[in-house]
Amino acid sequence: MAAPTDQARGNGGGAGAELSRRIKMRGLDLGFGQVGIAPCRDYPEHAAEARARGTYDLFEANPHSFIAGCFPSRYFPQGTSAVCATLGFGHQAVPDQLRGHIGRVYLSRSYTPRPDSIAGRRVTAMADFLRELGMQVYDGPVEPPARPLAQDAGIVRWGANNFCFTEDDGSFCVIYVWLVDAALAYDTPAEPFSCPPGCQRCVDACPTGALSAPRTLDPTRCALYANIGRTDDPAVTDALGGIVHGCDLCQEACPRNHAVLREAQEGPRDPLLDALAPAFDLERMLLMTGADDPYYRDVIHPVMYNYVRDVDILRRNAAIALGNAGDAACEPALREALRRFPGSRTADAARDALRKLGRA
């Protein structure tokens, strides 16, 4: 937990310091790993950096994206402070059947958690506690700039792979932010960057070239960008391997994560993941009939609900992964997908997979 600085930094006086202490203790009680508090301010420099990369048009066009979120004064003008917390998931063991197909953050069900999930209830409970303290809490659709706020709150530091790191969880953590209208005691910002000098293992590990140098990112080449159906560029999709919903390769390559990953090998088991793992099968995913398919409901949706609502995209991702695997044994399933889903993106991907297998 980040320790409060002197009261003057938060302009909250003794009352602000006491509120900050209570907020942090409540956050730890709810199971968050780190809790810190920063001023609620605009981050024009953060928005400018994203725009300068030239590949963030999809975010610029979204009025609720993190670029819009960089300006809290526009959507929460009464905002004074930002309560920030992290929830780590890297120590959790991941079954072999799921590793390399689904990103750990999605397996954790803690990123944009469902309201009725454990993580979702933690987020709601914290917001309720802040309201009980008499604060107004922002609950609108715009995404606050979680990473720079958490850095200013002293609980994370940036990495060359664009993720934020904590001492305990490496980059395997989710950041939550609650913007409030109360003056609190603010924590000392963390140093912005903490990777070993000259290290670019994350860049070398990126399969699609989305990371071309430390602290750069072309989101249009990121595995997740392809997984949500934004690109069918073979230069990207052919490099995905078996990835169908999020990639961990740049994080797994990072030396700062190696201790966490070693612990995860013998870490606590997630009963849901252990139940899903034996049932996870790319061919069954390929042949899902729709959102009412029991396989989608029971196996796929619990860990792939974050971005993709169109089952056709998920089936397409399975077809791409099967084609990348190069196993001719999947030919019958690919041909069945062509028969069942004519004119779909699933069919297009199945046709490409068969071509890769020499079975077109």
Side-chain angles (χ1 to χ4, degrees), residues 176-261:
Y176 303 100
V177 173
W178 300 264
L179 304 181
V180 298
D181 64 348
L184 300 170
Y186 302 143
D187 294 296
T188 302
E191 291 295 323
F193 187 68
S194 57
C195 285
C199 181
Q200 62 169 32
R201 293 188 189 181
C202 56
V203 176
D204 296 337
C206 180
T208 62
L211 292 174
S212 58
R215 303 186 73 183
T216 65
L217 177 68
D218 179 351
T220 66
R221 295 187 64 84
C222 186
L224 185 62
Y225 189 84
N227 290 159
I228 63 177
R230 292 277 187 171
T231 182
D232 291 305
D233 182 355
V236 177
T237 57
D238 288 355
L240 293 178
I243 295 169
V244 295
H245 193 80
C247 175
D248 290 324
L249 291 175
C250 69
Q251 297 185 83
E252 291 174 345
C254 177
R256 297 167 65 190
N257 282 330
H258 287 176
V260 175
L261 292 171

Side-chain angles (χ1 to χ4, degrees), residues 39-309:
C40 178
R41 71 170 182 90
D42 288 350
Y43 288 89
E45 70 280 13
H46 194 62
E49 180 180 347
R51 289 169 175 147
R53 293 180 176 182
T55 51
Y56 279 64
D57 293 347
L58 73 159
F59 300 106
E60 188 73 66
N62 183 348
H64 303 151
S65 77
F66 76 91
I67 291 182
C70 286
F71 302 92
S73 64
R74 299 177 184 174
Y75 57 88
F76 192 56
Q78 63 271 52
T80 305
S81 303
V83 177
C84 306
T86 63
L87 188 64
F89 55 85
H91 298 275
Q92 194 84 45
V94 175
D96 291 341
Q97 300 97 317
L98 303 176
R99 188 180 298 118
H101 296 296
I102 309 165
R104 291 170 186 264
V105 68
Y106 308 114
L107 293 174
S108 76
R109 291 98 67 203
S110 57
Y111 178 67
T112 59
R114 298 187 306 275
D116 61 347
S117 69
I118 293 175
R121 292 181 187 220
R122 282 180 171 135
V123 173
T124 299
M126 185 58 139
D128 289 345
F129 179 73
L130 295 171
R131 293 188 180 98
E132 289 169 7
L133 294 176
M135 302 178 193
Q136 183 178 354
V137 182
Y138 176 71
D139 62 356
V142 181
E143 177 186 349
R147 295 179 187 184
L149 281 169
Q151 179 196 320
D152 279 351
I155 61 174
V156 301
R157 299 174 74 182
W158 289 89
N161 58 5
N162 297 285
F163 286 93
C164 285
F165 290 71
T166 71
E167 292 299 322
D168 293 333
D169 300 301
S171 63
F172 297 110
C173 63
V174 176
I175 302 169
Y176 303 100
V177 173
W178 300 264
L179 304 181
V180 298
D181 64 348
L184 300 170
Y186 302 143
D187 294 296
T188 302
E191 291 295 323
F193 187 68
S194 57
C195 285
C199 181
Q200 62 169 32
R201 293 188 189 181
C202 56
V203 176
D204 296 337
C206 180
T208 62
L211 292 174
S212 58
R215 303 186 73 183
T216 65
L217 177 68
D218 179 351
T220 66
R221 295 187 64 84
C222 186
L224 185 62
Y225 189 84
N227 290 159
I228 63 177
R230 292 277 187 171
T231 182
D232 291 305
D233 182 355
V236 177
T237 57
D238 288 355
L240 293 178
I243 295 169
V244 295
H245 193 80
C247 175
D248 290 324
L249 291 175
C250 69
Q251 297 185 83
E252 291 174 345
C254 177
R256 297 167 65 190
N257 282 330
H258 287 176
V260 175
L261 292 171
R262 282 195 300 270
E263 291 181 20
Q265 293 176 2
E266 303 297 331
R269 310 296 305 184
D270 183 324
L272 177 64
L273 299 187
D274 285 342
L276 295 181
F280 181 75
D281 181 82
L282 290 173
E283 291 189 14
R284 293 187 67 183
M285 183 175 171
L286 171 67
L287 297 175
M288 296 183 299
T289 55
D292 58 349
D293 189 311
Y295 188 75
Y296 170 78
R297 181 194 65 215
D298 297 336
V299 178
I300 300 302
H301 184 259
V303 290
M304 300 190 206
Y305 65 86
N306 300 82
Y307 294 104
V308 182
R309 305 292 183 269

Side-chain angles (χ1 to χ4, degrees), residues 271-357:
L272 177 64
L273 299 187
D274 285 342
L276 295 181
F280 181 75
D281 181 82
L282 290 173
E283 291 189 14
R284 293 187 67 183
M285 183 175 171
L286 171 67
L287 297 175
M288 296 183 299
T289 55
D292 58 349
D293 189 311
Y295 188 75
Y296 170 78
R297 181 194 65 215
D298 297 336
V299 178
I300 300 302
H301 184 259
V303 290
M304 300 190 206
Y305 65 86
N306 300 82
Y307 294 104
V308 182
R309 305 292 183 269
D310 186 349
V311 174
D312 185 34
I313 298 297
L314 294 170
R315 293 190 304 243
R316 159 199 175 264
N317 295 346
I320 291 171
L322 289 168
N324 288 340
D327 184 356
C330 67
E331 179 181 356
L334 291 167
R335 293 203 180 280
E336 179 64 13
L338 284 174
R339 186 188 69 81
R340 286 192 190 184
F341 313 116
S344 67
R345 294 186 72 178
T346 299
D348 292 340
R351 196 172 293 108
D352 288 340
L354 287 166
R355 190 175 300 115
K356 285 184 183 179
L357 296 173

